[in-house]
Amino acid sequence: MSAASSQEALRREVRDWLSQNVDAGWRAAMTDSEQEAFFALQKEWFSELVKAGYATPHWPEGWPGGGRSLAEQKIIYEEVARADAPRLILYFVALYHAACTLFECGSAEQQSRYLPAILEGEIWCQGFSEPNAGSDLASLKTRAVRQGDHYVITGQKTWSTMAQYADRCLLLARTDKGERPQAGLTYLLLDMRARGVTVRPISQITGDDEFAEIFFDEVEVPVEDRIGEEGAGWAVAQTTLASERGLTLVELSQRMRYALPLIVDAMRRSDRLDDAAIRRDFGRLITHVDAACALADRYLLKRISGDEAPGDASIVKLYYARTLREFTALGKRIAGLDGQYHRGFMRGATQETGNWTVDFMNSYNWSIAGGSDEIQRNIIAERMLGMPREPRDWTLKGQGA
Amino acid sequence: MSAASSQEALRREVRDWLSQNVDAGWRAAMTDSEQEAFFALQKEWFSELVKAGYATPHWPEGWPGGGRSLAEQKIIYEEVARADAPRLILYFVALYHAACTLFECGSAEQQSRYLPAILEGEIWCQGFSEPNAGSDLASLKTRAVRQGDHYVITGQKTWSTMAQYADRCLLLARTDKGERPQAGLTYLLLDMRARGVTVRPISQITGDDEFAEIFFDEVEVPVEDRIGEEGAGWAVAQTTLASERGLTLVELSQRMRYALPLIVDAMRRSDRLDDAAIRRDFGRLITHVDAACALADRYLLKRISGDEAPGDASIVKLYYARTLREFTALGKRIAGLDGQYHRGFMRGATQETGNWTVDFMNSYNWSIAGGSDEIQRNIIAERMLGMPREPRDWTLKGQGA
Amino acid sequence: MTPELNQLTDSARQVVAGLGLGLAADEQEAYSLIAELGWLMVSTPEEQGGLGMGLAGACALHTELGRGLATVPFLPQLLAISAVSSGAWPGQEIWLESMMSGERRVTTSLGESSLTVERDGDGAMKLNGRAVALASADCASHVLVEAADGVCLALLALDQSGVRITARPTWDVTRRLFDLEVSDAALDPQLIIAQGESASLLRQRLAILRDFALAADAVGGAMALLEMTVEYLQTRQQFGRPLALFQALKHRCADLKAHTEAAQALLQDGLDAVTDREGDVIATPEAEMKALAVKQLACSAYAAVAEESLQLHGGIGMTSEHDCHLFLKRALLNEHLGRRQDSYDRGLADRFIAGLNQA
Amino acid sequence: MTPELNQLTDSARQVVAGLGLGLAADEQEAYSLIAELGWLMVSTPEEQGGLGMGLAGACALHTELGRGLATVPFLPQLLAISAVSSGAWPGQEIWLESMMSGERRVTTSLGESSLTVERDGDGAMKLNGRAVALASADCASHVLVEAADGVCLALLALDQSGVRITARPTWDVTRRLFDLEVSDAALDPQLIIAQGESASLLRQRLAILRDFALAADAVGGAMALLEMTVEYLQTRQQFGRPLALFQALKHRCADLKAHTEAAQALLQDGLDAVTDREGDVIATPEAEMKALAVKQLACSAYAAVAEESLQLHGGIGMTSEHDCHLFLKRALLNEHLGRRQDSYDRGLADRFIAGLNQA
């Protein structure tokens, strides 16, 4: 069977499976839902995907569900988007960040200790960001001090997705105040139930609490839970961050495309289906969504063929973030006063739910987190266009480095 | 008579006079016209305004037509805009830049030598800008070397409005390479017919040649034609640049308001009078034009009351430039393919002529010349918002200063 | 601005900041306070016992209330007072006095209403339909109703049969809005303020007052938020420098400043254009156009500042711990109060083109 | 891209740059050159004697022609060849061969036409009306006419009685456009390419080809101009530093880069969506929508790059001495070729909504 026809077969297989297994009522069930219901849905959908072998297509050959090519992974994500299946946000860090870091940088023993538990539903969170560090990872301050066969951790992390539910944490901590700030970071796997760990959910402006702060007060981590060498944490963290390889934005831009009818619904509901001005803006949005999909696809194809260039990923993210803003802003505008009334958010949903004010505010997550739009613009200007970088040592008199 | 009622009387008087003296056919006559016709119209309209006493309302008491308050000047400009009279672009530098510099910094002898000639129609140009100086006046390179009772000028100026027709030039030249770059500049009045002066019109992208380059090859200027002390040119130049005191943008934003029906004409001509999308954009433009007028008015009122703050002028210019761009871009969009066909430009006209592609391109003059939009944004951020200035000594290794 | 207006602005700013009219304030106490301060009298002519500061006074106060994210439902009462004080109707004097003192509270729709009036067989007037965006209606005894067909303006008791209010919580927690549903409620002939032509003129004047007040709120909010954001950028360090030193951010702040200043200038300029010598709102087509422009520009400036501020604050702005989102949510709601958002632009163009055709 | 396409792109870039197809080039010589190079055969299927590189080949060439501001009127002839090669009509073989060799030149409208066909008493077909934006019509012997009512597509001799062309110089001096006026011109039955349903499908396919080709021209122009602008900013010093070091300018260039890359990605992605296995354009509603999106995005990206580049070049960009304005004028014209500018956005929305209603 040729690659093309085996891919077509996979697409049909996944599509069939999804059509039988996605509960179309999940959006209604997740609206204004309790945490428990959200938890239950995530767990159930996760275990179904694992059973079907669609949760870990990116894992290596030999692991359950693994060994799929990037092209096949793309097909699975496209079909998941097309079927409007729930997003597995509770397990994302475990399935991608934790697993890929273990595959690429973990020892065989670490892999066999942690990966099977992930398949059984262990929840992970990421401990990279810190207050006041913003997009500047090299300035992290949480400390890990070696004492015998343990590191002792003290400090604070923030913006950790779902940390309040997590069993384990991917932690980046400073073991050394070396000359280059990146050089002194070490990468550890931390048990969230260890003594000295406190989690405080961050209250978001939408009323959601998808993120949390984590406080570490002399938390002990065994040395065998270190990934890579002491001081090599920066490089390991790059592996973590690169782990989803562009698939997320393929999925999300496809989801955005399938969500376009939400705008038409809003037009109908506000009696403006024939408003020429709205139609023109909607047409422009369709084009931008189409282009966001094309950029995400092209990026993944480049990764598949090994042609990725510096800045490519920044273009995809910047364009997606901008288009998502335009999408949600248009919905908000059409909805008018009705869109301003408070409605409960939909847990674990996609970026477009038709709860327009929430969707609009949430769109800022994409232009702020994971390297803000401003950082992406710097990268594009400097690495793609070759414009000069501002010297790092430019500071105002009497201020900082 | 109260100030208010005497101002009302002035307004009526000017309005009556304009209604009898503005030839409504001037726009048609100036379209695709020869230089000579343009020259003739400018001369004739200038002498009529001088005769009526409306050309020099900003001159001091005692000079013909002078002694008007800023509030009265504003009325005259508003009425000129309302009557859609031709703009006196050939005489602008003489009436404002030259005259005000002479009034504020010239000697009594210089005043009596040059001012009466201005009223008789002598044409002046400005010699400030240089190639590669951009918005950075302090980096001027044209040199003036003192030899006995003369300065000898060598160098090049550019972007000099109407220099090819000018009798005299307001010249800023470097007499000293002092430590602070501003310190070594000297201000001279130069006879454009002197030996060694060459003028080359700059061919603009609209086909117009409103600007010219001036080359000086050992041109002699008598020392008595120096304004202020040697090395004091920077301060004198500030006087020149401040001479129109915000009146130009009061006039131009009013003219923009009176030009709004041009957009409606374009809608009608392209059969889109009822296009809801165009109407919405037109409504937004009306608002912005209205705001540009309000900003220009407020700025002049602040000058009248002495309340001008740093950055106020930048806001007016930035907003006007942006609104003019929006105006001309909308016209261009509505005109469609018809707007893309070549049509001859209208000489000495306002910024809005309905020749949309030309109007659109010309709008860039306002965002580039006289301190670009970028410079205005720096000024607003630093002087109004108090954000820090980038240190002047920030350069890349091996480059500059 | 006149010295009186400057003084009003200064004292309002102190009150809003110092005595805490913001989120923390108790709405009832705040209401009593502004009543004591005489703010409810600000626009009423002196000969009717008011301060006679007209629309300009109302806008000065709304600017400061917007700046401080005040929760006090000032505008609905002010609109009702303006209605009650106009023309001559039976209950005018008593109602005006008790409303200006804050004793009687009347709410008013800040959105579009679809109320209609019919006369039944006995000649009694019956009201039917819906109105939206009545602020703090649960604290009012009456609502000012405008029949959409222009037949009349009247006060309607909220406890009357056939009248129902429903709370409609918004994302903007600084306002408490209600829907009004009316089914066959009888209008009290004693409480009819205007009918026919004079009702229609009064409606126009109230719409102008509403649009200017919302614009003033927006200008105040935009100014306060931009200051807050610039201050944040000055403080916050990244890559070893204050964010305020990054030129891309400086230029965006400069654009926001220009937008905000334009809105403020247009608002100030508009005050003259829509008022008579006494500072009272006039109902002309030009005044209506000015109000459309002022509201549109101010609310778009506020939204632009709020949206950019969210981005410029980064992660911290996405948390409820920071005030950024309170401004954002108020800015978004302001865009949707009054007429439908797009109809401001559209209405201006329509009126401009109609004006040309008449000329 | 396939290796063949890459090779085509590389060689085209060399030809355009090296042999000077730009403004300086003589249009006739350039035309002979591209004919010699076989570019006129690029999209024609191999079994008809062409290169069989389909729409992708045409877009690769147009990208390079756009990049080099080429003056050669390639697109009108390519559209006519595409028309001539489709279906089966009497003169097909002879016309196709002589047009692909460049011997016979046929122009085509790049704008909207209002031509109508009527049969007179003898059954002869008479053409009337207007068409616009015929490039270099003075060098062609025939024009491809499409009746707006969908009745037929045909070749019309330009020297025939009742046919008149008028030069319409545009600001974009890299194109020479003409209007066509036709009054009671008889259609030669031997030169009718398609009628009825097949004419209507062919029109759709030609519109898709036209939109993609204009988009490719725009993408090429935008890329070249952005490179030129960045280079200018690298060179030009102000306040002692290269302009390219100012963050506000860097960020604007980054946004333009994103816009341009998006247009290029959508164009590439669209090629698959609008072609069959042989690379030929198909006439489906989805293909038409894709063409609308591709044209709209690419032309808006080009215009955005051109407008910002003018600003970023400062005064020098305002003079005819610099090439900046040539890109700008071509970008502006591209926006207005094809359908009416706004109707791209509008058309997409209309089709999307109609599609939903059918589903």
Side-chain angles (χ1 to χ4, degrees):
Chain A
M1 200 157 59
S2 75
S5 62
S6 88
Q7 285 176 17
E8 249 340 284
L10 174 66
R11 191 182 290 282
R12 273 196 309 275
E13 171 202 312
V14 178
R15 192 174 294 185
D16 286 349
W17 185 86
L18 287 164
S19 74
Q20 284 158 32
N21 288 278
V22 174
D23 172 9
W26 74 266
R27 285 187 177 272
M30 285 302 102
T31 302
D32 261 333
S33 65
E34 298 298 316
Q35 293 279 19
E36 289 68 35
F38 165 66
F39 230 81
L41 176 88
Q42 288 277 315
K43 262 188 200 305
E44 190 193 321
W45 182 236
F46 174 73
S47 73
E48 283 192 54
L49 278 173
V50 169
K51 244 183 290 167
Y54 299 143
T56 51
H58 57 295
W59 284 25
E61 189 95 51
W63 290 91
R68 300 279 195 188
S69 68
L70 262 177
E72 290 171 325
Q73 295 171 42
K74 179 166 180 277
I75 287 168
I76 294 174
Y77 272 104
E78 285 170 354
E79 292 302 317
V80 162
R82 186 174 185 278
D84 191 27
R87 291 193 66 207
L88 280 186
I89 55 171
L90 199 56
Y91 300 93
F92 186 83
V93 174
L95 285 173
Y96 281 88
H97 295 169
C100 295
T101 307
L102 285 162
F103 287 128
E104 291 200 35
C105 311
S107 66
E109 206 227 313
Q110 287 170 331
Q111 291 178 7
S112 62
R113 189 174 348 140
Y114 290 114
L115 289 165
I118 286 177
L119 286 176
E120 281 161 28
E122 214 171 58
I123 299 167
W124 288 64
C125 68
Q126 201 191 83
F128 287 10
S129 294
E130 291 187 7
N132 299 318
S135 295
D136 183 10
L137 265 196
S139 71
L140 298 183
K141 289 193 171 59
T142 293
R143 297 198 58 77
V145 178
R146 175 79 178 258
Q147 289 184 359
D149 57 355
H150 282 80
Y151 288 97
V152 179
I153 316 296
T154 307
Q156 182 188 348
K157 295 288 173 179
T158 191
W159 299 118
S160 183
T161 308
M162 305 278 158
Q164 60 270 51
Y165 312 118
D167 302 301
R168 307 199 167 270
C169 174
L170 301 167
L171 183 74
L172 202 55
R174 183 164 301 285
T175 38
D176 186 28
K177 285 196 181 170
E179 286 211 348
R180 288 183 52 244
Q182 290 95 323
L185 298 173
T186 296
Y187 199 108
L188 300 167
L189 308 181
L190 178 141
D191 183 342
M192 290 292 281
R193 277 168 300 243
R195 212 166 57 175
V197 176
T198 317
V199 180
R200 192 170 71 95
I202 295 171
S203 159
Q204 286 168 258
I205 63 179
T206 54
D208 200 352
D209 50 5
E210 210 184 329
F211 306 106
E213 295 177 295
I214 318 175
F215 300 87
F216 306 98
D217 180 12
E218 308 206 338
V219 182
E220 296 191 354
V221 176
V223 170
E224 65 255 35
D225 284 341
R226 186 186 71 214
I227 305 266
E229 295 303 306
E230 190 173 299
W234 177 264
V236 180
Q238 298 311 311
T239 306
T240 306
L241 293 173
S243 62
E244 55 85 25
R245 314 184 79 166
L247 283 163
T248 304
L249 284 178
V250 167
E251 181 196 338
L252 291 182
S253 49
Q254 290 292 339
R255 284 190 184 263
M256 185 155 63
R257 189 204 295 276
Y258 291 116
L260 282 168
L262 279 180
I263 299 280
V264 183
D265 286 347
M267 289 167 73
R268 200 173 282 123
R269 223 169 273 159
S270 71
D271 245 342
R272 299 169 84 180
L273 204 52
D274 295 319
D275 183 320
I278 300 279
R279 283 202 176 211
R280 196 189 63 196
D281 293 346
F282 180 48
R284 192 156 305 166
L285 174 66
I286 295 172
T287 298
H288 294 161
V289 170
D290 212 359
C293 292
L295 279 171
D297 278 7
R298 186 176 71 163
Y299 176 64
L300 200 70
L301 293 176
K302 281 186 175 186
R303 290 205 76 146
I304 292 174
S305 64
D307 293 332
E308 186 187 358
D312 280 345
S314 296
I315 297 254
V316 178
K317 180 166 183 291
L318 184 66
Y319 202 84
Y320 173 76
R322 185 192 303 173
T323 306
L324 182 63
R325 179 77 36 81
E326 182 186 349
F327 190 122
T328 56
L330 181 60
K332 173 170 71 64
R333 178 153 73 82
I334 297 170
L337 186 57
D338 276 340
Q340 295 300 309
Y341 293 124
H342 186 278
R343 285 166 57 195
F345 54 89
M346 210 182 272
R347 283 181 198 278
T350 48
Q351 307 302 307
E352 310 84 11
T353 69
N355 189 355
W356 294 111
T357 299
V358 169
D359 288 352
F360 178 72
M361 292 190 287
N362 266 334
S363 74
Y364 281 84
N365 282 329
W366 280 96
S367 53
I368 290 173
S372 67
D373 280 2
E374 290 75 22
I375 296 288
Q376 308 302 341
R377 289 195 190 98
N378 279 344
I379 293 173
I380 294 166
E382 291 162 11
R383 301 200 205 155
M384 295 191 96
L385 298 174
M387 299 174 89
R389 191 167 177 154
E390 291 180 35
R392 283 265 173 170
D393 57 0
W394 280 4
T395 54
L396 279 191
K397 267 179 201 152
Q399 287 185 309
Chain B
M1 199 155 62
S2 75
S5 62
S6 89
Q7 286 177 15
E8 248 343 282
L10 174 66
R11 191 180 289 281
R12 274 196 310 276
E13 172 201 313
V14 178
R15 191 175 295 185
D16 286 350
W17 185 85
L18 287 164
S19 73
Q20 285 158 33
N21 288 278
V22 173
D23 172 8
W26 73 268
R27 286 188 176 271
M30 285 301 104
T31 301
D32 262 332
S33 65
E34 299 297 317
Q35 293 278 20
E36 289 69 34
F38 164 66
F39 230 81
L41 176 89
Q42 287 278 317
K43 263 188 199 305
E44 191 192 319
W45 181 238
F46 174 73
S47 73
E48 283 193 53
L49 278 173
V50 169
K51 243 183 291 167
Y54 299 142
T56 52
H58 58 295
W59 285 25
E61 188 94 52
W63 290 91
R68 300 281 195 186
S69 70
L70 261 177
E72 289 171 326
Q73 295 171 43
K74 180 166 181 277
I75 288 169
I76 294 173
Y77 271 103
E78 285 168 353
E79 291 303 317
V80 162
R82 187 175 185 278
D84 190 27
R87 293 193 65 206
L88 279 185
I89 55 171
L90 199 57
Y91 300 93
F92 186 82
V93 175
L95 284 172
Y96 281 88
H97 295 168
C100 294
T101 307
L102 285 162
F103 287 128
E104 291 201 35
C105 310
S107 66
E109 206 226 315
Q110 287 170 329
Q111 291 178 6
S112 63
R113 185 167 358 131
Y114 290 114
L115 289 166
I118 287 177
L119 286 177
E120 281 160 25
E122 213 170 57
I123 298 168
W124 288 64
C125 68
Q126 201 191 84
F128 287 10
S129 294
E130 292 187 7
N132 299 317
S135 294
D136 182 11
L137 264 195
S139 70
L140 298 183
K141 290 193 170 55
T142 294
R143 297 199 56 77
V145 179
R146 176 80 179 257
Q147 290 184 357
D149 57 355
H150 282 80
Y151 288 96
V152 179
I153 316 295
T154 307
Q156 180 188 349
K157 295 288 174 180
T158 191
W159 300 117
S160 182
T161 308
M162 305 277 158
Q164 60 269 52
Y165 312 119
D167 302 300
R168 306 200 168 269
C169 174
L170 302 167
L171 182 75
L172 201 54
R174 184 164 300 285
T175 38
D176 187 27
K177 283 195 186 173
E179 287 210 350
R180 287 184 54 246
Q182 291 94 323
L185 298 172
T186 296
Y187 200 107
L188 300 166
L189 308 181
L190 178 142
D191 184 342
M192 290 292 282
R193 275 168 300 245
R195 212 166 55 173
V197 176
T198 317
V199 180
R200 192 170 72 95
I202 294 172
S203 159
Q204 286 168 257
I205 63 178
T206 54
D208 200 353
D209 51 4
E210 208 184 329
F211 306 105
E213 293 177 297
I214 319 174
F215 300 87
F216 306 98
D217 180 14
E218 306 207 340
V219 182
E220 295 192 355
V221 176
V223 171
E224 64 255 34
D225 283 341
R226 187 186 70 214
I227 306 266
E229 294 305 305
E230 190 172 298
W234 178 263
V236 180
Q238 298 312 310
T239 307
T240 305
L241 293 172
S243 62
E244 55 85 25
R245 312 185 81 165
L247 282 164
T248 303
L249 283 178
V250 166
E251 181 195 340
L252 291 182
S253 49
Q254 291 291 338
R255 285 192 185 258
M256 184 155 65
R257 189 204 295 275
Y258 290 116
L260 282 168
L262 279 180
I263 300 279
V264 184
D265 286 347
M267 288 167 73
R268 200 174 281 122
R269 224 170 271 161
S270 71
D271 245 342
R272 299 169 84 181
L273 204 52
D274 295 319
D275 183 321
I278 300 277
R279 283 204 176 209
R280 197 190 63 195
D281 293 346
F282 180 48
R284 192 156 306 167
L285 174 66
I286 295 172
T287 298
H288 294 161
V289 170
D290 211 0
C293 292
L295 279 171
D297 278 6
R298 186 178 70 163
Y299 176 64
L300 201 70
L301 292 175
K302 281 185 174 186
R303 290 205 75 144
I304 292 173
S305 64
D307 293 333
E308 186 187 359
D312 280 344
S314 295
I315 298 254
V316 178
K317 178 164 183 292
L318 184 67
Y319 203 84
Y320 172 76
R322 185 191 304 173
T323 307
L324 181 63
R325 178 78 37 80
E326 182 187 348
F327 190 121
T328 56
L330 181 60
K332 174 171 71 65
R333 179 153 73 82
I334 299 170
L337 186 57
D338 276 339
Q340 295 300 309
Y341 293 124
H342 185 278
R343 286 166 57 195
F345 54 88
M346 211 183 271
R347 284 181 198 277
T350 47
Q351 306 301 308
E352 310 84 10
T353 69
N355 188 355
W356 294 111
T357 299
V358 169
D359 288 352
F360 179 72
M361 292 190 288
N362 267 335
S363 74
Y364 282 84
N365 282 328
W366 280 96
S367 53
I368 291 172
S372 67
D373 280 1
E374 290 75 20
I375 297 286
Q376 308 303 340
R377 289 196 190 98
N378 279 344
I379 294 172
I380 294 166
E382 290 162 11
R383 301 201 206 155
M384 295 191 96
L385 298 174
M387 298 173 90
R389 192 168 176 153
E390 291 180 36
R392 282 266 171 170
D393 56 1
W394 279 4
T395 55
L396 279 191
K397 266 177 200 152
Q399 288 186 311
Chain C
M1 285 213 281
T2 63
E4 292 77 28
L5 278 175
N6 275 328
Q7 210 181 338
L8 184 68
T9 293
D10 288 348
S11 77
R13 190 169 305 183
Q14 281 170 22
V15 169
V16 173
L19 299 178
L21 284 194
L23 257 193
D26 177 81
E27 191 186 311
Q28 304 313 322
E29 284 174 21
Y31 198 89
S32 307
L33 178 63
I34 64 163
E36 268 170 51
L37 289 165
W39 291 6
L40 297 172
M41 304 153 64
V42 66
S43 296
T44 311
E46 288 179 34
E47 59 273 25
Q48 289 183 299
L51 300 180
M53 300 181 84
L55 181 63
C59 285
L61 292 175
H62 275 103
T63 302
E64 296 311 314
L65 293 169
R67 189 182 265 280
L69 293 172
T71 57
V72 66
F74 183 45
L75 180 55
Q77 180 91 353
L78 204 65
L79 286 165
I81 288 172
S82 178
V84 162
S85 73
S86 76
W89 61 285
Q92 185 170 51
E93 210 169 321
I94 292 170
W95 277 84
L96 189 53
E97 200 188 310
S98 63
M99 284 171 70
M100 287 201 300
S101 72
E103 188 189 323
R104 263 200 191 281
R105 290 181 59 174
V106 177
T107 188
T108 311
S109 166
L110 299 178
E112 294 186 316
S113 74
S114 55
L115 294 164
T116 53
V117 168
E118 276 173 34
R119 277 184 200 277
D120 67 9
D122 313 333
M125 292 171 89
K126 294 279 192 185
L127 195 67
N128 275 290
R130 252 179 118 240
V132 297
L134 286 74
S136 300
D138 55 344
C139 302
S141 64
H142 289 70
V143 55
L144 175 71
V145 287
E146 309 176 350
D149 44 18
V151 176
C152 77
L153 270 96
L155 297 174
L156 179 74
L158 284 165
D159 60 5
Q160 187 173 333
S161 95
V163 177
R164 200 166 60 122
I165 58 168
T166 318
R168 296 296 306 271
T170 60
W171 285 102
D172 173 16
V173 290
T174 66
R175 268 88 162 237
R176 298 189 306 106
L177 300 188
F178 292 77
D179 278 356
L180 172 72
E181 266 172 292
V182 184
S183 112
D184 269 341
L187 282 185
D188 180 347
Q190 298 299 312
L191 296 183
I192 290 177
I193 293 172
Q195 297 191 65
E197 176 71 6
S198 65
S200 151
L201 285 174
L202 181 52
R203 281 187 72 199
Q204 280 179 49
R205 289 179 42 217
L206 294 177
I208 291 169
L209 169 55
R210 177 201 62 204
D211 283 348
F212 267 80
L214 290 171
D217 186 273
V219 165
M223 291 191 302
L225 179 54
L226 183 56
E227 285 162 22
M228 190 173 91
T229 299
V230 169
E231 202 178 303
Y232 174 80
L233 296 175
Q234 303 267 29
T235 316
R236 171 92 175 176
Q237 301 265 331
Q238 200 146 33
F239 303 112
R241 297 169 243 179
L243 286 174
L245 197 46
F246 288 91
Q247 197 196 30
L249 309 188
K250 284 166 71 177
H251 278 199
R252 281 153 65 185
C253 290
D255 281 334
L256 295 175
K257 179 67 174 169
H259 202 157
T260 308
E261 289 286 316
Q264 196 193 22
L266 187 62
L267 173 66
Q268 287 301 325
D269 175 78
L271 286 172
D272 286 339
V274 306
T275 51
D276 58 22
R277 279 163 191 271
E278 280 73 44
D280 296 326
V281 174
I282 50 178
T284 63
E286 293 73 30
E288 202 180 17
M289 282 178 74
K290 190 60 84 172
L292 294 176
V294 164
K295 157 74 164 75
Q296 201 282 331
L297 189 67
C299 289
S300 78
Y302 194 10
V305 171
E307 291 170 26
E308 274 282 58
S309 290
L310 194 63
Q311 178 70 24
L312 292 169
H313 273 82
I316 187 78
M318 297 294 282
T319 72
S320 351
E321 287 158 39
H322 195 283
D323 282 352
C324 210
H325 73 112
L326 298 175
F327 284 100
L328 174 71
K329 290 166 180 173
R330 186 153 167 147
L332 297 183
L333 181 56
N334 275 8
E335 284 194 301
H336 295 284
L337 292 178
R339 296 169 210 254
R340 201 160 68 176
Q341 189 188 2
D342 285 355
S343 64
Y344 282 90
D345 291 325
R346 177 62 199 269
L348 257 176
D350 290 350
R351 285 168 177 79
F352 186 95
I353 292 169
L356 283 185
N357 292 341
Q358 279 166 18
Chain D
M1 282 213 282
T2 63
E4 293 77 29
L5 277 174
N6 274 328
Q7 211 181 336
L8 185 69
T9 293
D10 288 348
S11 78
R13 189 169 306 182
Q14 281 171 23
V15 169
V16 173
L19 299 178
L21 286 194
L23 257 193
D26 178 81
E27 191 185 311
Q28 303 314 321
E29 285 174 22
Y31 198 89
S32 307
L33 178 63
I34 65 163
E36 268 171 51
L37 289 165
W39 291 7
L40 297 173
M41 304 152 67
V42 67
S43 297
T44 310
E46 288 180 34
E47 59 272 23
Q48 289 183 300
L51 299 180
M53 299 180 83
L55 181 62
C59 285
L61 292 175
H62 274 102
T63 302
E64 297 311 314
L65 292 169
R67 189 180 265 283
L69 292 173
T71 56
V72 65
F74 182 46
L75 181 55
Q77 180 91 353
L78 204 65
L79 286 165
I81 288 173
S82 178
V84 161
S85 73
S86 76
W89 60 285
Q92 185 171 50
E93 209 170 321
I94 292 171
W95 277 83
L96 189 53
E97 199 187 311
S98 63
M99 283 171 70
M100 287 202 299
S101 72
E103 190 189 320
R104 262 198 191 282
R105 290 182 59 173
V106 177
T107 188
T108 312
S109 166
L110 300 178
E112 294 185 316
S113 74
S114 56
L115 293 164
T116 52
V117 168
E118 275 173 35
R119 278 183 200 278
D120 68 9
D122 312 334
M125 290 169 90
K126 294 279 192 185
L127 195 67
N128 275 290
R130 251 181 117 238
V132 298
L134 286 72
S136 300
D138 54 345
C139 302
S141 64
H142 289 70
V143 56
L144 176 71
V145 287
E146 310 175 349
D149 43 19
V151 176
C152 76
L153 269 96
L155 298 174
L156 179 74
L158 284 165
D159 59 6
Q160 186 174 333
S161 96
V163 178
R164 200 165 62 120
I165 58 167
T166 318
R168 294 297 304 271
T170 61
W171 285 102
D172 173 16
V173 289
T174 66
R175 268 89 162 236
R176 299 189 305 105
L177 300 187
F178 291 78
D179 278 354
L180 172 72
E181 267 172 292
V182 184
S183 110
D184 268 341
L187 282 185
D188 181 346
Q190 297 298 312
L191 295 183
I192 291 177
I193 294 172
Q195 298 192 63
E197 176 70 6
S198 65
S200 151
L201 284 174
L202 181 52
R203 282 187 72 200
Q204 280 180 49
R205 289 179 43 216
L206 294 177
I208 291 170
L209 169 56
R210 176 201 64 205
D211 283 348
F212 266 81
L214 290 170
D217 186 273
V219 165
M223 290 191 303
L225 178 55
L226 183 56
E227 285 162 23
M228 189 173 94
T229 299
V230 168
E231 201 178 303
Y232 174 80
L233 296 175
Q234 303 268 28
T235 318
R236 172 89 176 179
Q237 301 264 331
Q238 199 146 35
F239 304 112
R241 296 169 244 179
L243 286 174
L245 196 47
F246 287 91
Q247 198 196 30
L249 309 188
K250 284 167 70 175
H251 279 199
R252 280 154 64 184
C253 290
D255 281 335
L256 295 175
K257 179 68 175 169
H259 202 156
T260 307
E261 289 285 317
Q264 197 194 20
L266 187 62
L267 173 64
Q268 287 301 325
D269 176 79
L271 286 173
D272 286 339
V274 306
T275 51
D276 58 22
R277 276 162 194 272
E278 280 73 44
D280 295 326
V281 174
I282 49 177
T284 62
E286 293 73 30
E288 201 179 17
M289 282 179 74
K290 190 62 84 172
L292 294 175
V294 164
K295 157 73 162 77
Q296 201 282 331
L297 190 67
C299 290
S300 79
Y302 194 10
V305 171
E307 291 169 28
E308 274 282 58
S309 290
L310 194 63
Q311 178 70 24
L312 291 169
H313 274 82
I316 187 80
M318 298 294 284
T319 71
S320 353
E321 288 159 40
H322 195 282
D323 281 352
C324 210
H325 73 113
L326 297 175
F327 284 99
L328 174 70
K329 290 167 179 172
R330 186 153 168 147
L332 297 183
L333 181 56
N334 275 9
E335 283 195 302
H336 295 284
L337 291 178
R339 297 167 208 256
R340 199 160 71 176
Q341 188 188 4
D342 285 355
S343 64
Y344 282 91
D345 291 325
R346 179 62 199 268
L348 256 177
D350 290 351
R351 284 167 178 80
F352 187 95
I353 293 169
L356 283 186
N357 292 341
Q358 278 165 19

